[in-house]
Amino acid sequence: APTISSTSNSLPSTGVIVQGDQVTFKSKYTDPGSLDFHANTYNWGDGSTNDITNQNPLYGATGATTGQHTYNNYGTFTATLTVSDDDLGSTDANQIVKVARKVSLDWKPGSNPSAISFESGKIPAEKKIDFRGWRRKSEKDFRSRMDEV
């Protein structure tokens, strides 16, 4: 059966991306069956997959695979790479992907909106949000500040 020997990805150090962002996963694998053909399947955890089939035999070398995906929905997903061979052996590698909801604000200086609208609701204007001086230390810090609103 194949063995995944290394994985890397394009996720930021926080592990969080925003809706519409693309991620890239790269993996290397080996297989003691040097004449085996391989199929690499990426299941992105959001209902979509990529199949990279008919990988040539490794002849004792290391195989490599790369998958890219754009997450259009927010949430927490488990991306899984499955490397299988023609002897019905397979192995998996998983990566948690956190996708934050994309928020846009259409505001013009001097305007006096009655509320700031988000997909999930509104923040009344009397609940002033002062973003000056904010330094986003972590996702937890940001969420706790937003919970104060």
PDB file of all heavy atoms in Angstrom, residues 4 6 9 17-18 20 22 26 29-30 35 41 44 52 61 83-86 100 104 109 114 119 123 126 131:
ATOM      1  N   ILE A   4       1.829   8.146   2.456  1.00  0.00           N
ATOM      2  CA  ILE A   4       2.033   9.578   2.239  1.00  0.00           C
ATOM      3  C   ILE A   4       3.180  10.003   3.150  1.00  0.00           C
ATOM      4  O   ILE A   4       3.103   9.864   4.375  1.00  0.00           O
ATOM      5  CB  ILE A   4       0.748  10.373   2.522  1.00  0.00           C
ATOM      6  CG1 ILE A   4      -0.339   9.958   1.521  1.00  0.00           C
ATOM      7  CG2 ILE A   4       1.021  11.874   2.443  1.00  0.00           C
ATOM      8  CD1 ILE A   4      -1.709  10.543   1.790  1.00  0.00           C
ATOM      9  N   SER A   6       4.921  13.165   3.038  1.00  0.00           N
ATOM     10  CA  SER A   6       4.952  14.571   3.445  1.00  0.00           C
ATOM     11  C   SER A   6       3.767  15.308   2.828  1.00  0.00           C
ATOM     12  O   SER A   6       3.268  14.931   1.765  1.00  0.00           O
ATOM     13  CB  SER A   6       6.261  15.244   3.035  1.00  0.00           C
ATOM     14  OG  SER A   6       6.332  15.387   1.632  1.00  0.00           O
ATOM     15  N   ASN A   9       0.757  22.880   2.562  1.00  0.00           N
ATOM     16  CA  ASN A   9      -0.408  23.592   2.045  1.00  0.00           C
ATOM     17  C   ASN A   9      -0.146  25.081   2.045  1.00  0.00           C
ATOM     18  O   ASN A   9       0.832  25.559   2.615  1.00  0.00           O
ATOM     19  CB  ASN A   9      -1.655  23.244   2.868  1.00  0.00           C
ATOM     20  CG  ASN A   9      -1.518  23.648   4.313  1.00  0.00           C
ATOM     21  OD1 ASN A   9      -1.374  24.821   4.630  1.00  0.00           O
ATOM     22  ND2 ASN A   9      -1.532  22.661   5.212  1.00  0.00           N
ATOM     23  N   ILE A  17      -8.959  30.849   6.151  1.00  0.00           N
ATOM     24  CA  ILE A  17      -9.050  31.590   4.896  1.00  0.00           C
ATOM     25  C   ILE A  17     -10.435  32.224   4.821  1.00  0.00           C
ATOM     26  O   ILE A  17     -11.284  31.977   5.669  1.00  0.00           O
ATOM     27  CB  ILE A  17      -8.800  30.693   3.671  1.00  0.00           C
ATOM     28  CG1 ILE A  17      -9.830  29.552   3.607  1.00  0.00           C
ATOM     29  CG2 ILE A  17      -7.372  30.152   3.691  1.00  0.00           C
ATOM     30  CD1 ILE A  17      -9.777  28.752   2.318  1.00  0.00           C
ATOM     31  N   VAL A  18     -10.680  33.024   3.798  1.00  0.00           N
ATOM     32  CA  VAL A  18     -11.954  33.711   3.607  1.00  0.00           C
ATOM     33  C   VAL A  18     -12.665  33.110   2.401  1.00  0.00           C
ATOM     34  O   VAL A  18     -12.015  32.659   1.455  1.00  0.00           O
ATOM     35  CB  VAL A  18     -11.725  35.227   3.399  1.00  0.00           C
ATOM     36  CG1 VAL A  18     -13.016  35.964   3.117  1.00  0.00           C
ATOM     37  CG2 VAL A  18     -11.031  35.826   4.615  1.00  0.00           C
ATOM     38  N   GLY A  20     -14.078  32.284  -0.973  1.00  0.00           N
ATOM     39  CA  GLY A  20     -13.558  32.681  -2.274  1.00  0.00           C
ATOM     40  C   GLY A  20     -12.056  32.489  -2.408  1.00  0.00           C
ATOM     41  O   GLY A  20     -11.514  32.610  -3.499  1.00  0.00           O
ATOM     42  N   GLN A  22      -8.499  30.441  -2.536  1.00  0.00           N
ATOM     43  CA  GLN A  22      -8.063  29.148  -3.055  1.00  0.00           C
ATOM     44  C   GLN A  22      -6.943  28.597  -2.174  1.00  0.00           C
ATOM     45  O   GLN A  22      -6.083  29.349  -1.712  1.00  0.00           O
ATOM     46  CB  GLN A  22      -7.551  29.300  -4.485  1.00  0.00           C
ATOM     47  CG  GLN A  22      -7.147  27.976  -5.127  1.00  0.00           C
ATOM     48  CD  GLN A  22      -6.630  28.165  -6.531  1.00  0.00           C
ATOM     49  OE1 GLN A  22      -5.575  28.751  -6.738  1.00  0.00           O
ATOM     50  NE2 GLN A  22      -7.383  27.677  -7.498  1.00  0.00           N
ATOM     51  N   LYS A  26       0.011  20.054  -1.379  1.00  0.00           N
ATOM     52  CA  LYS A  26       1.027  19.258  -2.074  1.00  0.00           C
ATOM     53  C   LYS A  26       1.401  18.097  -1.168  1.00  0.00           C
ATOM     54  O   LYS A  26       1.560  18.271   0.037  1.00  0.00           O
ATOM     55  CB  LYS A  26       2.270  20.102  -2.362  1.00  0.00           C
ATOM     56  CG  LYS A  26       1.999  21.232  -3.333  1.00  0.00           C
ATOM     57  CD  LYS A  26       3.255  22.021  -3.619  1.00  0.00           C
ATOM     58  CE  LYS A  26       2.949  23.135  -4.603  1.00  0.00           C
ATOM     59  NZ  LYS A  26       4.140  23.877  -4.985  1.00  0.00           N
ATOM     60  N   TYR A  29       4.439  10.789  -1.840  1.00  0.00           N
ATOM     61  CA  TYR A  29       4.090   9.448  -1.388  1.00  0.00           C
ATOM     62  C   TYR A  29       5.051   8.431  -1.986  1.00  0.00           C
ATOM     63  O   TYR A  29       5.718   8.681  -2.989  1.00  0.00           O
ATOM     64  CB  TYR A  29       2.637   9.101  -1.748  1.00  0.00           C
ATOM     65  CG  TYR A  29       2.326   9.158  -3.224  1.00  0.00           C
ATOM     66  CD1 TYR A  29       2.419   8.019  -4.023  1.00  0.00           C
ATOM     67  CD2 TYR A  29       1.944  10.348  -3.830  1.00  0.00           C
ATOM     68  CE1 TYR A  29       2.143   8.079  -5.382  1.00  0.00           C
ATOM     69  CE2 TYR A  29       1.664  10.411  -5.180  1.00  0.00           C
ATOM     70  CZ  TYR A  29       1.761   9.272  -5.955  1.00  0.00           C
ATOM     71  OH  TYR A  29       1.490   9.325  -7.297  1.00  0.00           O
ATOM     72  N   THR A  30       5.128   7.298  -1.313  1.00  0.00           N
ATOM     73  CA  THR A  30       5.940   6.174  -1.770  1.00  0.00           C
ATOM     74  C   THR A  30       5.069   4.923  -1.781  1.00  0.00           C
ATOM     75  O   THR A  30       3.982   4.910  -1.207  1.00  0.00           O
ATOM     76  CB  THR A  30       7.153   5.949  -0.846  1.00  0.00           C
ATOM     77  OG1 THR A  30       6.675   5.702   0.483  1.00  0.00           O
ATOM     78  CG2 THR A  30       8.081   7.134  -0.849  1.00  0.00           C
ATOM     79  N   LEU A  35       5.843  -1.133  -9.315  1.00  0.00           N
ATOM     80  CA  LEU A  35       5.179  -1.119 -10.624  1.00  0.00           C
ATOM     81  C   LEU A  35       3.708  -0.718 -10.531  1.00  0.00           C
ATOM     82  O   LEU A  35       2.991  -0.739 -11.526  1.00  0.00           O
ATOM     83  CB  LEU A  35       5.297  -2.499 -11.287  1.00  0.00           C
ATOM     84  CG  LEU A  35       6.722  -2.975 -11.556  1.00  0.00           C
ATOM     85  CD1 LEU A  35       6.707  -4.365 -12.186  1.00  0.00           C
ATOM     86  CD2 LEU A  35       7.463  -1.992 -12.440  1.00  0.00           C
ATOM     87  N   THR A  41      -6.988  11.180  -4.982  1.00  0.00           N
ATOM     88  CA  THR A  41      -8.292  11.841  -4.905  1.00  0.00           C
ATOM     89  C   THR A  41      -8.286  12.839  -3.760  1.00  0.00           C
ATOM     90  O   THR A  41      -7.952  12.497  -2.623  1.00  0.00           O
ATOM     91  CB  THR A  41      -9.416  10.805  -4.675  1.00  0.00           C
ATOM     92  OG1 THR A  41      -9.385   9.862  -5.743  1.00  0.00           O
ATOM     93  CG2 THR A  41     -10.774  11.478  -4.628  1.00  0.00           C
ATOM     94  N   TRP A  44     -12.575  17.678  -0.739  1.00  0.00           N
ATOM     95  CA  TRP A  44     -12.372  18.976  -0.093  1.00  0.00           C
ATOM     96  C   TRP A  44     -13.275  19.189   1.118  1.00  0.00           C
ATOM     97  O   TRP A  44     -13.162  20.197   1.796  1.00  0.00           O
ATOM     98  CB  TRP A  44     -12.524  20.084  -1.123  1.00  0.00           C
ATOM     99  CG  TRP A  44     -11.507  19.931  -2.207  1.00  0.00           C
ATOM    100  CD1 TRP A  44     -11.718  19.465  -3.469  1.00  0.00           C
ATOM    101  CD2 TRP A  44     -10.102  20.179  -2.105  1.00  0.00           C
ATOM    102  NE1 TRP A  44     -10.534  19.422  -4.158  1.00  0.00           N
ATOM    103  CE2 TRP A  44      -9.526  19.853  -3.358  1.00  0.00           C
ATOM    104  CE3 TRP A  44      -9.279  20.654  -1.093  1.00  0.00           C
ATOM    105  CZ2 TRP A  44      -8.177  19.994  -3.607  1.00  0.00           C
ATOM    106  CZ3 TRP A  44      -7.924  20.779  -1.344  1.00  0.00           C
ATOM    107  CH2 TRP A  44      -7.382  20.465  -2.583  1.00  0.00           C
ATOM    108  N   ILE A  52      -7.110  12.709  -9.587  1.00  0.00           N
ATOM    109  CA  ILE A  52      -5.916  12.742 -10.419  1.00  0.00           C
ATOM    110  C   ILE A  52      -5.523  11.283 -10.593  1.00  0.00           C
ATOM    111  O   ILE A  52      -4.906  10.688  -9.716  1.00  0.00           O
ATOM    112  CB  ILE A  52      -4.792  13.557  -9.761  1.00  0.00           C
ATOM    113  CG1 ILE A  52      -5.299  14.964  -9.417  1.00  0.00           C
ATOM    114  CG2 ILE A  52      -3.570  13.629 -10.662  1.00  0.00           C
ATOM    115  CD1 ILE A  52      -4.389  15.747  -8.516  1.00  0.00           C
ATOM    116  N   ALA A  61      10.835   5.383  -6.855  1.00  0.00           N
ATOM    117  CA  ALA A  61      10.992   6.818  -6.584  1.00  0.00           C
ATOM    118  C   ALA A  61       9.833   7.319  -5.707  1.00  0.00           C
ATOM    119  O   ALA A  61       8.971   6.555  -5.283  1.00  0.00           O
ATOM    120  CB  ALA A  61      11.044   7.596  -7.898  1.00  0.00           C
ATOM    121  N   VAL A  83      -4.538   8.410  -1.507  1.00  0.00           N
ATOM    122  CA  VAL A  83      -3.658   7.846  -2.533  1.00  0.00           C
ATOM    123  C   VAL A  83      -3.907   6.345  -2.532  1.00  0.00           C
ATOM    124  O   VAL A  83      -3.770   5.682  -1.509  1.00  0.00           O
ATOM    125  CB  VAL A  83      -2.169   8.139  -2.242  1.00  0.00           C
ATOM    126  CG1 VAL A  83      -1.280   7.497  -3.299  1.00  0.00           C
ATOM    127  CG2 VAL A  83      -1.919   9.643  -2.177  1.00  0.00           C
ATOM    128  N   SER A  84      -4.309   5.816  -3.686  1.00  0.00           N
ATOM    129  CA  SER A  84      -4.578   4.380  -3.790  1.00  0.00           C
ATOM    130  C   SER A  84      -3.787   3.794  -4.956  1.00  0.00           C
ATOM    131  O   SER A  84      -3.429   4.510  -5.895  1.00  0.00           O
ATOM    132  CB  SER A  84      -6.077   4.116  -3.964  1.00  0.00           C
ATOM    133  OG  SER A  84      -6.583   4.823  -5.066  1.00  0.00           O
ATOM    134  N   ASP A  85      -3.530   2.500  -4.853  1.00  0.00           N
ATOM    135  CA  ASP A  85      -2.789   1.842  -5.930  1.00  0.00           C
ATOM    136  C   ASP A  85      -3.651   0.764  -6.577  1.00  0.00           C
ATOM    137  O   ASP A  85      -4.770   0.492  -6.139  1.00  0.00           O
ATOM    138  CB  ASP A  85      -1.456   1.288  -5.432  1.00  0.00           C
ATOM    139  CG  ASP A  85      -1.599   0.198  -4.388  1.00  0.00           C
ATOM    140  OD1 ASP A  85      -2.676  -0.410  -4.275  1.00  0.00           O
ATOM    141  OD2 ASP A  85      -0.611  -0.054  -3.673  1.00  0.00           O
ATOM    142  N   ASP A  86      -3.128   0.163  -7.626  1.00  0.00           N
ATOM    143  CA  ASP A  86      -3.898  -0.834  -8.374  1.00  0.00           C
ATOM    144  C   ASP A  86      -3.958  -2.197  -7.685  1.00  0.00           C
ATOM    145  O   ASP A  86      -4.604  -3.110  -8.178  1.00  0.00           O
ATOM    146  CB  ASP A  86      -3.394  -0.957  -9.811  1.00  0.00           C
ATOM    147  CG  ASP A  86      -1.908  -1.266  -9.906  1.00  0.00           C
ATOM    148  OD1 ASP A  86      -1.254  -1.465  -8.864  1.00  0.00           O
ATOM    149  OD2 ASP A  86      -1.404  -1.294 -11.039  1.00  0.00           O
ATOM    150  N   ALA A 100     -13.657  31.558   6.810  1.00  0.00           N
ATOM    151  CA  ALA A 100     -14.421  32.640   7.438  1.00  0.00           C
ATOM    152  C   ALA A 100     -15.382  33.253   6.430  1.00  0.00           C
ATOM    153  O   ALA A 100     -15.108  33.289   5.225  1.00  0.00           O
ATOM    154  CB  ALA A 100     -13.476  33.711   7.966  1.00  0.00           C
ATOM    155  N   SER A 104     -18.371  42.418   3.578  1.00  0.00           N
ATOM    156  CA  SER A 104     -17.997  43.650   2.894  1.00  0.00           C
ATOM    157  C   SER A 104     -18.837  44.787   3.456  1.00  0.00           C
ATOM    158  O   SER A 104     -19.988  44.597   3.864  1.00  0.00           O
ATOM    159  CB  SER A 104     -18.208  43.520   1.387  1.00  0.00           C
ATOM    160  OG  SER A 104     -19.554  43.249   1.101  1.00  0.00           O
ATOM    161  N   PRO A 109     -17.460  58.111   3.763  1.00  0.00           N
ATOM    162  CA  PRO A 109     -17.230  59.098   4.820  1.00  0.00           C
ATOM    163  C   PRO A 109     -18.321  60.169   4.802  1.00  0.00           C
ATOM    164  O   PRO A 109     -18.752  60.621   3.743  1.00  0.00           O
ATOM    165  CB  PRO A 109     -15.867  59.698   4.464  1.00  0.00           C
ATOM    166  CG  PRO A 109     -15.205  58.643   3.640  1.00  0.00           C
ATOM    167  CD  PRO A 109     -16.316  57.954   2.894  1.00  0.00           C
ATOM    168  N   SER A 114     -27.979  53.837   9.502  1.00  0.00           N
ATOM    169  CA  SER A 114     -28.720  53.453  10.702  1.00  0.00           C
ATOM    170  C   SER A 114     -28.245  52.109  11.223  1.00  0.00           C
ATOM    171  O   SER A 114     -28.479  51.772  12.379  1.00  0.00           O
ATOM    172  CB  SER A 114     -30.220  53.389  10.400  1.00  0.00           C
ATOM    173  OG  SER A 114     -30.457  52.426   9.395  1.00  0.00           O
ATOM    174  N   GLU A 119     -24.730  39.392   6.477  1.00  0.00           N
ATOM    175  CA  GLU A 119     -25.631  38.345   6.008  1.00  0.00           C
ATOM    176  C   GLU A 119     -26.523  37.821   7.133  1.00  0.00           C
ATOM    177  O   GLU A 119     -27.662  37.498   6.924  1.00  0.00           O
ATOM    178  CB  GLU A 119     -24.839  37.180   5.419  1.00  0.00           C
ATOM    179  CG  GLU A 119     -24.365  37.416   4.024  1.00  0.00           C
ATOM    180  CD  GLU A 119     -23.667  36.191   3.471  1.00  0.00           C
ATOM    181  OE1 GLU A 119     -24.016  35.066   3.849  1.00  0.00           O
ATOM    182  OE2 GLU A 119     -22.771  36.376   2.643  1.00  0.00           O
ATOM    183  N   ILE A 123     -26.054  45.274  12.843  1.00  0.00           N
ATOM    184  CA  ILE A 123     -25.544  45.871  14.061  1.00  0.00           C
ATOM    185  C   ILE A 123     -26.077  47.302  14.076  1.00  0.00           C
ATOM    186  O   ILE A 123     -25.754  48.095  13.195  1.00  0.00           O
ATOM    187  CB  ILE A 123     -24.006  45.889  14.089  1.00  0.00           C
ATOM    188  CG1 ILE A 123     -23.467  44.469  14.030  1.00  0.00           C
ATOM    189  CG2 ILE A 123     -23.511  46.613  15.334  1.00  0.00           C
ATOM    190  CD1 ILE A 123     -21.964  44.394  13.911  1.00  0.00           C
ATOM    191  N   GLU A 126     -26.178  52.689  16.921  1.00  0.00           N
ATOM    192  CA  GLU A 126     -25.897  53.144  18.279  1.00  0.00           C
ATOM    193  C   GLU A 126     -24.883  52.252  18.999  1.00  0.00           C
ATOM    194  O   GLU A 126     -24.302  52.624  19.987  1.00  0.00           O
ATOM    195  CB  GLU A 126     -27.175  53.279  19.121  1.00  0.00           C
ATOM    196  CG  GLU A 126     -27.974  52.004  19.292  1.00  0.00           C
ATOM    197  CD  GLU A 126     -29.034  51.796  18.221  1.00  0.00           C
ATOM    198  OE1 GLU A 126     -29.055  52.524  17.214  1.00  0.00           O
ATOM    199  OE2 GLU A 126     -29.845  50.888  18.404  1.00  0.00           O
ATOM    200  N   PHE A 131     -12.847  50.481  15.269  1.00  0.00           N
ATOM    201  CA  PHE A 131     -11.792  49.571  14.835  1.00  0.00           C
ATOM    202  C   PHE A 131     -10.404  50.200  14.962  1.00  0.00           C
ATOM    203  O   PHE A 131      -9.416  49.550  14.736  1.00  0.00           O
ATOM    204  CB  PHE A 131     -12.021  49.142  13.378  1.00  0.00           C
ATOM    205  CG  PHE A 131     -13.208  48.245  13.202  1.00  0.00           C
ATOM    206  CD1 PHE A 131     -14.398  48.731  12.711  1.00  0.00           C
ATOM    207  CD2 PHE A 131     -13.125  46.909  13.536  1.00  0.00           C
ATOM    208  CE1 PHE A 131     -15.494  47.900  12.551  1.00  0.00           C
ATOM    209  CE2 PHE A 131     -14.214  46.072  13.383  1.00  0.00           C
ATOM    210  CZ  PHE A 131     -15.398  46.569  12.895  1.00  0.00           C
TER     211      PHE A 131
END
